[in-house]
Amino acid sequence: MLDALLATPAVLRLVDLALEEDLGRGDVTTEAVIDRDATATAQLVARESLVLAGLGLCTLVFQRVDAEVVAAESAKDGDRIAAGTAVASYRGRAASLLAAERTALNFVQRLSGTATLARAFVEAAAGSRLRIADTRKTTPGFRLLEKYAVRVGGASNHRCDLGSGLLIKDNHVAVAGGVRQAVEKARGRAPHGLRIEVEVDSLAELEEALAAGADVILLDNFSPADLDRAVARTGPLPQRPLLEVSGGVTLRRIPELARAGVDIVSVGALTHSARAVDLSLDIGINGPGQ
Amino acid sequence: MLDALLATPAVLRLVDLALEEDLGRGDVTTEAVIDRDATATAQLVARESLVLAGLGLCTLVFQRVDAEVVAAESAKDGDRIAAGTAVASYRGRAASLLAAERTALNFVQRLSGTATLARAFVEAAAGSRLRIADTRKTTPGFRLLEKYAVRVGGASNHRCDLGSGLLIKDNHVAVAGGVRQAVEKARGRAPHGLRIEVEVDSLAELEEALAAGADVILLDNFSPADLDRAVARTGPLPQRPLLEVSGGVTLRRIPELARAGVDIVSVGALTHSARAVDLSLDIGINGPGQ
Amino acid sequence: MLDALLATPAVLRLVDLALEEDLGRGDVTTEAVIDRDATATAQLVARESLVLAGLGLCTLVFQRVDAEVVAAESAKDGDRIAAGTAVASYRGRAASLLAAERTALNFVQRLSGTATLARAFVEAAAGSRLRIADTRKTTPGFRLLEKYAVRVGGASNHRCDLGSGLLIKDNHVAVAGGVRQAVEKARGRAPHGLRIEVEVDSLAELEEALAAGADVILLDNFSPADLDRAVARTGPLPQRPLLEVSGGVTLRRIPELARAGVDIVSVGALTHSARAVDLSLDIGINGPGQ
Amino acid sequence: MLDALLATPAVLRLVDLALEEDLGRGDVTTEAVIDRDATATAQLVARESLVLAGLGLCTLVFQRVDAEVVAAESAKDGDRIAAGTAVASYRGRAASLLAAERTALNFVQRLSGTATLARAFVEAAAGSRLRIADTRKTTPGFRLLEKYAVRVGGASNHRCDLGSGLLIKDNHVAVAGGVRQAVEKARGRAPHGLRIEVEVDSLAELEEALAAGADVILLDNFSPADLDRAVARTGPLPQRPLLEVSGGVTLRRIPELARAGVDIVSVGALTHSARAVDLSLDIGINGPGQ
Amino acid sequence: MLDALLATPAVLRLVDLALEEDLGRGDVTTEAVIDRDATATAQLVARESLVLAGLGLCTLVFQRVDAEVVAAESAKDGDRIAAGTAVASYRGRAASLLAAERTALNFVQRLSGTATLARAFVEAAAGSRLRIADTRKTTPGFRLLEKYAVRVGGASNHRCDLGSGLLIKDNHVAVAGGVRQAVEKARGRAPHGLRIEVEVDSLAELEEALAAGADVILLDNFSPADLDRAVARTGPLPQRPLLEVSGGVTLRRIPELARAGVDIVSVGALTHSARAVDLSLDIGINGPGQ
Amino acid sequence: MLDALLATPAVLRLVDLALEEDLGRGDVTTEAVIDRDATATAQLVARESLVLAGLGLCTLVFQRVDAEVVAAESAKDGDRIAAGTAVASYRGRAASLLAAERTALNFVQRLSGTATLARAFVEAAAGSRLRIADTRKTTPGFRLLEKYAVRVGGASNHRCDLGSGLLIKDNHVAVAGGVRQAVEKARGRAPHGLRIEVEVDSLAELEEALAAGADVILLDNFSPADLDRAVARTGPLPQRPLLEVSGGVTLRRIPELARAGVDIVSVGALTHSARAVDLSLDIGINGPGQ
């Protein structure tokens, strides 16, 4: 996604919430101690090896606080950055840089954390046809941003919301009276641009899903052995439906899943439990006269 | 903080961003498969041992989606919950419960994750006078919520924003021309209800801070030996300023810091890198006739 | 979609824009002329035959102006209503009913207009397998509401936004270097839950789309003869991709398209040019003493 | 109204709702198929004869999506545009133009539809003193925009909201106890800058309104014969009150009303049932290197 | 205006801004000191003689902080309240009452201040036909509320905004080329429900305004002698236009203006310089067990 | 505070509320009378001696209405301005200047009113160590702006909200069971960066506060004699806590308080009852051709 398309009204609202919560009462320290004419230059530096994501958003935060901050980005989202490397510099009023610092870092550290973790999963599946996909287990308010970070890391997006993907889960099956009935209802009523995906918990349900003509089948918490059986049963693409795996998948299991021949594995941890990676701002005060 | 005071306009805006991003285009699966008269009951169950935080917010999400959802909470924020325990049940239209499920979980899993991690730090300092404090390294938009989760976990809050605490950092010192000058400027200009805290990087700066009469001194990245020297130098409370420690502090270092006799340790990881804990919703469909 | 799920944060913002623009400076006439204790009952009556849509939203408008207005709905969305039939009554302060009247009507007249037009298209295709679908040519701010009205009328939704459907148009094809290349790029990069739809302008492009394995093919502005050739060429379902038709389709052409054997016809006019149908409010003042 | 004054906070909120509903989950097709460095030029072209309205808003949409889009407008609001004429061109990133296209068109097609219809009514009254006026039957959220389009078409605005015009309707009369009592109450209490307009349903009520000294009299659903009698009864301007006509007025009746000598006719259809006129975007991809 | 109509979306946004700015970071004192189960009762008491305005808004603030606060109002807007009189009591959680107290008071003290001042002006004109009117010199964001307080005090509203009244000022006259030309332009273009008011600075301009047929004439900064001449010149109502006076009018000048026979005097001070009147909250803690 | 930091999201929302309430329905007079190509230059002139505050906000209002307005500021916030002095000029479309005028003035008149009053208090305390401080009795929505105006006037800010300062009042004391208990609870639970301030009503409570080790003691409504006793009792700084005085303090009492030797006096009137000072806009129309 282009940065221009990432600054949606909802993302700007989130940025405003973040600025308001940190800057909404002013910055008493800076106001007490820093001369209002002082200018400074700040380097954004990676403190560990990471995959960068959200650099444009970081810049947007600085410039939303003070439109006169001048930015120079020297890396781009998706780049693998070595520890100690500067990825951008910001120049402007010292007070503005100090005020925006924490909010800007909180965004870029978090998104780069997700991109870095996604990259690790993707690399663990390298050489196979296994796609690493995210889930809807995102930080509330960050859905668009975190799904972008997932792509930046090289992984794929699952449906972005409840309206843009059709995924029949166990509860839907229970109400509909069975996998087949649920899939048929969905085929009749859902928008025609959406594939019909159904979650199955057993090989028996897999049979039902195949019979019903599901487009994608989500194998939930299948044992390795059952996974092999499921793949064997469904046969080769493109005749068969896509096979997706989910359920507490760790980085360690990726090679095994890649070998098993499934198409997609969805990993909630990419967005719900990625730690923030370490980026910091080195600020050098230029003095009052620019 | 009482739940009534947690539902601030800004928190409600964040909840709305979250609902909009997941539900803003409807729920195609539920609409295709679930009868609109079907009702259900959902149990919110802990899947691992955790400290609960944000249960009221979870309930708020369900009721904001559908005001007719009936909630019954059986635990409260701050409770240690064993794996397998139900903490609340929600009853209402099946479609509403299915639609709100993911957003509600995304909030309570994240906040409980922070509370659980905070509790672990607090327990590691048990028996000492060491306070575990958070930082401003919070998820953008979640400052109030995550600081609440920190308190729920038993830890303390550092300043909530740039306007409500005075913390003179190295850059402020550099501009002011020294620790003493910075502290004096701050004393003359800052609101009288705020203590003056100054960050020092060495024992020499510590001397300056003591001479300047700082109220709180933040020892940044001090070695264990220097930490001991700093504590010895400043003498007993209440005559001396409070001593705070920061800089990449892990759970493992807490007992050592507790023994060292410092007053506060601030830990960014409580909020920037807590993983989501596992809570899920068990939904039982009641049938169309209630 | 259940009404509970229709009142999204974005829809409520639209309702607030509408209330603000009509009521934001008060109601000078009512304040000058109507006693503040006067109460009234208002009947919402169809003035022509119509398919009702948005009755719940109409009620929501009244109750958002004054939470004490009591509503009694006697019809439901999707019902065919004869001219002269009352579909709801509202009881409460006369000033509140008069103030909310216009905004409430503006919503329900517009949505019922779309539902009524959609129903006419659906009835014209009755007995065939042709689906009537909408487009993204909706009133700005009304996407979710108008797509709901389309479903209420019995027609189907095309993708709800740019993020929830993959539709490769001529410009995409031009950039990608051809239909085949575009489809292949899309297959490699798009979320796996989305079908790949491609627009073709000629029988030659249709061949390319078939060869590339597109899931849905949009036949844009095909002549009737070419349409027949296209259907004949692609063969029977479920082996072939879905065929969609678009381009200035009027109600009169529906029977012909239904006979042609295509699967879907998308009609922009359902949402961009439906006229408001006539519903009005008959208000009876009860007097000051209730 | 100048364009600068049209971009009010409320209009920008509506634009944001529109962008969010179409772009809020990104643009999966463009992201999958279009190179992120590709640039393009788009011509906005009238596909039928129309009166242009909202061109500035169309431009605003493109530039709100991407501030670097360069616009060149070659026509202005109020111009009669022949089919096939380009009215503006937009140059910038291909992804931005494709993403903004639909929303921008949805606005300008709708507003131009209203302006075009208004112009037709105005031309039907040409040579007479009859003013064509709008009503409050506007699209919710579009009041300011649609009233602007009405003026662009050459027609007049009735009151913009309940707070900026005093119009006593049948219900107000019923409560007040008669036309005379209602008018007198209004004169005593309403802001002194507002004329007092009263709706009458019969020649008898007209007498009352004249006796009460109403400034404007709205003749609702009068037969042609009664209309002539009403005009004859009230005599010449400026001594008499203004006479307004309303009630299901179609374009065909305008010449008759113009001849009858009434001052104003208000037409709800200008805003509640104008069809969108056909404008489209011809996009030419420039290639990645600008 | 009924309270239901005062809680517009814009007013609720202002209330939210106010709550957010005081409560958005929680209430550290109450959280540290007050038991979370403690309940209390608070009396809202007038500390000086005042005209009450905004009581319903005060109640709304308490209940927006905590929906379980129970309110009992014992006076109503417009009442003259003696010092020492309680006008409402609020019962609920002590923490909620303490948290909402300041914001609630800030609203009701300010609005009652304006109502009290307006009442003083109205009483100074008692027995005459002089109307006291407000201006657009209101507190930003408070237009609707302060104009309501003016009415509560017994005075009248001038136009509520730039769109709902036509007032030709000196600058408009200068551009139009004279009073006559300006009035004629306005008559041809403005909405027909608005009277045409023109500001004049001299008796010569008054003649022009009369000749042009202005509906209302604003005599700006006329000397008492010129005022008398102006009234004499225009003759008796209803043939003549309304005469309004403005320009630094103090309470002391009202009797003189009343005697002079002008119709309206507009007073900016009602809203831009009314002091807050003294109302306070007496809180009694009930104890933790309700 | 730098202007860049004053334009927070919340302040911009307030500006938008203000623009919407005055311009949201357009400007009928200007549209009817002023040529849309006319340009003008406006001088912002002080009509009385004042301390300027909010000039940047005034400029922001003009440029938010029309980004092409060119501003030239010739004074800065905090300057004492003599009557008749121009402090800024604005050049651009006449319609834009006329439309923004009232809102811009309403902000700068109000904020300068507070700064002017604050300066008077500060000058009354000149030569002493007495600090003049504000309170939370601010105009709802204006907290950040009015506290800025207070600083511009040379006075100090008390806590900005309930979350950034710890002030134990009588009700807190009552619930806690005494001054000592309340202070101790607060010391154990409050953020360590906040001083603990407690309000006392008598010399006896003062003793308790001293014994409990409060950092700041607020002497509420102490008689002059008791004030002297309180100062004498607490002894010299820096060993003693800070002493603050509050309770209906007028400008006349400041010299007495300055002599008494207290540290801070907080004055609600700075923000709740400052009158608007007189600034106006002199607009000269340049003609249509710039």
Side-chain angles (χ1 to χ4, degrees), chain D residues 90-112:
Chain D
Y90 301 99
R91 192 159 45 83
R93 291 187 191 84
S96 300
L97 297 177
L98 288 165
E101 173 184 12
R102 189 70 261 145
T103 302
L105 288 176
N106 285 348
F107 273 110
V108 72
Q109 289 177 332
R110 175 168 302 268
L111 295 180
S112 297

Side-chain angles (χ1 to χ4, degrees), chain E residues 63 96 136 154:
Chain E
Q63 295 182 333
S96 300
R136 287 166 45 245

Side-chain angles (χ1 to χ4, degrees), chain A residues 20 24-25, chain B residues 7-10 13, chain E residues 9-26 57-58 60-62 64-65 98-108 110-111 139-142 145, chain F residues 9-11 13-14 17 136-147 160-163:
Chain A
E20 189 63 34
R25 279 77 166 129
Chain B
T8 63
R13 274 205 296 278
Chain E
V11 167
L12 295 180
R13 272 206 297 278
L14 179 65
V15 170
D16 281 354
L17 281 178
L19 289 176
E20 189 64 33
E21 74 185 1
D22 202 33
L23 291 178
R25 279 78 166 125
L57 192 64
C58 178
L60 182 148
V61 169
F62 279 105
R64 203 161 171 92
V65 167
L98 288 165
E101 173 185 13
R102 188 71 262 145
T103 302
L105 287 177
N106 284 348
F107 273 110
V108 72
R110 175 168 301 269
L111 296 179
T139 308
F142 283 72
L145 294 173
Chain F
V11 167
R13 272 204 298 277
L14 179 65
L17 281 178
R136 286 166 46 245
K137 296 177 180 176
T138 51
T139 309
F142 282 72
R143 181 71 53 86
L144 190 74
L145 294 173
E146 291 185 343
K147 292 207 160 237
C160 55
D161 64 10
L162 289 173

Side-chain angles (χ1 to χ4, degrees), chain B:
Chain B
M1 177 177 293
L2 297 187
D3 279 353
L5 298 191
L6 207 59
T8 63
V11 166
L12 294 180
R13 274 205 296 278
L14 180 65
V15 169
D16 281 353
L17 281 178
L19 289 175
E20 188 65 33
E21 75 184 1
D22 202 33
L23 292 177
R25 279 78 167 126
D27 177 348
V28 287
T29 312
T30 296
E31 181 152 352
V33 176
I34 301 286
D35 190 85
R36 55 179 289 162
D37 297 325
T39 60
T41 302
Q43 303 285 334
L44 178 64
V45 180
R47 296 288 167 215
E48 61 179 305
S49 171
L50 55 84
V51 176
L52 186 65
L55 182 58
L57 192 64
C58 178
T59 297
L60 184 149
V61 169
F62 278 105
Q63 296 183 333
R64 204 161 171 92
V65 166
D66 184 344
E68 295 177 16
V69 168
V70 176
E73 304 183 354
S74 50
K76 62 180 200 305
D77 282 4
D79 287 354
R80 164 67 68 178
I81 309 294
T85 308
V87 296
S89 78
Y90 301 100
R91 192 159 45 82
R93 290 187 190 86
S96 300
L97 296 177
L98 288 165
E101 172 185 12
R102 188 70 262 146
T103 302
L105 288 176
N106 284 348
F107 273 110
V108 70
Q109 290 177 331
R110 175 168 302 269
L111 295 179
S112 297
T114 282
T116 303
L117 185 56
R119 183 69 57 88
F121 273 83
V122 168
E123 289 174 352
S128 80
R129 57 183 307 285
L130 181 66
R131 266 192 190 203
I132 308 297
D134 56 23
T135 66
R136 288 167 44 245
K137 297 178 180 176
T138 51
T139 309
F142 283 71
R143 182 69 54 83
L144 189 74
L145 294 172
E146 291 184 344
K147 290 206 162 236
Y148 166 76
V150 163
R151 293 196 304 277
V152 159
S156 297
N157 291 152
H158 211 300
R159 59 178 175 170
C160 56
D161 62 12
L162 288 172
S164 63
L166 210 138
L167 176 45
I168 301 169
K169 297 208 167 185
D170 49 359
N171 286 310
H172 299 104
V173 168
V175 176
V179 165
R180 171 182 286 261
Q181 292 89 329
V183 170
E184 277 162 10
K185 269 189 165 178
R187 187 175 296 121
R189 298 189 191 168
H192 66 269
L194 302 181
R195 293 206 173 104
I196 296 170
E197 177 164 3
V198 63
E199 178 184 305
V200 300
D201 295 333
S202 65
L203 291 167
E205 282 194 354
L206 172 64
E207 290 300 324
E208 273 196 84
L210 289 169
D215 298 311
V216 188
I217 299 176
L218 173 57
L219 310 168
D220 192 44
N221 282 313
F222 269 48
S223 69
D226 277 357
L227 216 55
D228 288 339
R229 281 182 204 110
V231 172
R233 165 65 186 86
T234 47
L237 281 174
Q239 277 69 31
R240 66 160 169 83
L242 293 170
L243 292 180
E244 177 180 342
V245 168
S246 74
V249 175
T250 57
L251 189 53
R252 201 166 313 167
R253 278 193 65 203
I254 295 299
E256 161 209 327
L257 293 171
R259 279 190 304 270
V262 296
D263 303 293
I264 304 132
V265 57
S266 50
V267 184
L270 295 185
T271 51
H272 71 53
S273 293
R275 67 175 183 79
V277 292
D278 199 358
L279 288 141
S280 68
L281 216 61
D282 292 347
I283 302 184
I285 305 291
N286 301 344
Q290 192 77 254

Side-chain angles (χ1 to χ4, degrees), chain C residues 16 19-20 23-27 31 36-37 65-66 93 95-96 99, chain E residues 1-5 7-11 13 144 148 151 160-161 164:
Chain C
D16 280 354
L19 289 175
E20 188 64 33
L23 291 178
R25 279 79 167 125
D27 178 347
E31 180 153 353
R36 54 179 290 163
D37 297 325
V65 167
D66 185 344
R93 292 188 189 86
S96 299
Chain E
M1 177 177 293
L2 297 186
D3 279 351
L5 297 191
T8 62
V11 167
R13 272 206 297 278
L144 189 74
Y148 166 76
R151 295 196 304 276
C160 56
D161 63 11
S164 63

Side-chain angles (χ1 to χ4, degrees), chain F residues 201-223:
Chain F
D201 294 332
S202 64
L203 291 168
E205 282 193 354
L206 172 64
E207 290 300 323
E208 273 195 81
L210 289 169
D215 297 310
V216 190
I217 300 176
L218 173 57
L219 310 168
D220 192 43
N221 282 315
F222 269 48
S223 68

Side-chain angles (χ1 to χ4, degrees), chain B residues 15-17 19-20 23-27 30-31 35-37 64-67 93 95-96 99, chain C residues 1-5 7-13 76-77 143-144 148 151 157 160-162 164:
Chain B
V15 169
D16 281 353
L17 281 178
L19 289 175
E20 188 65 33
L23 292 177
R25 279 78 167 126
D27 177 348
T30 296
E31 181 152 352
D35 190 85
R36 55 179 289 162
D37 297 325
R64 204 161 171 92
V65 166
D66 184 344
R93 290 187 190 86
S96 300
Chain C
M1 179 178 294
L2 297 187
D3 280 352
L5 297 191
T8 63
V11 167
L12 295 180
R13 272 204 298 277
K76 63 181 199 302
D77 281 4
R143 182 69 55 84
L144 189 75
Y148 165 77
R151 295 197 303 276
N157 292 151
C160 56
D161 63 13
L162 289 172
S164 62

Side-chain angles (χ1 to χ4, degrees), chain F residues 133-185:
Chain F
D134 55 23
T135 66
R136 286 166 46 245
K137 296 177 180 176
T138 51
T139 309
F142 282 72
R143 181 71 53 86
L144 190 74
L145 294 173
E146 291 185 343
K147 292 207 160 237
Y148 165 77
V150 163
R151 294 197 303 277
V152 158
S156 296
N157 292 151
H158 211 300
R159 58 178 175 169
C160 55
D161 64 10
L162 289 173
S164 63
L166 209 138
L167 176 45
I168 301 168
K169 297 206 167 187
D170 48 359
N171 286 310
H172 299 104
V173 168
V175 176
V179 166
R180 172 183 286 260
Q181 292 88 329
V183 171
E184 277 163 10
K185 269 189 164 178

